[in-house]
Amino acid sequence: MPTSIGFRPTPDDERILREAGLPGERTSDTLRRALRLLDHERWLVQFRADAEALNGEDINAEPEAW
């Protein structure tokens, strides 16, 4: 795993960083926040897929696990 990442922002990237950054937030903080949002979005996609797969499941029909 790399200890640092090189990044040359395009003009559009710079605009996004400017608009998405919070007051006093460094560029690296904004990128970290964006990565966490991306990770959360991936989790939501998997959650929705799992929920759809279990849509017809009736847990009341399952035997007790006791």
Side-chain angles (χ1 to χ4, degrees):
M1 178 157 187
T3 56
S4 67
I5 297 173
F7 179 68
R8 290 189 183 100
T10 66
D12 200 37
D13 296 334
E14 289 176 348
R15 178 192 58 78
I16 293 167
L17 287 168
R18 231 182 2 264
E19 292 174 2
L22 299 174
E25 186 176 54
R26 298 175 307 189
T27 300
S28 58
D29 296 329
T30 304
L31 291 170
R32 281 187 189 95
R33 193 163 44 88
L35 286 170
R36 278 153 189 77
L37 286 170
L38 178 60
D39 187 49
H40 183 68
E41 180 62 28
R42 288 179 43 228
W43 181 88
L44 286 173
V45 167
Q46 185 61 52
F47 171 81
R48 289 181 185 116
D50 292 345
E52 184 64 31
L54 299 173
N55 186 30
E57 183 181 43
D58 180 6
I59 60 171
N60 291 319
E62 298 289 325
E64 292 290 329
W66 304 93

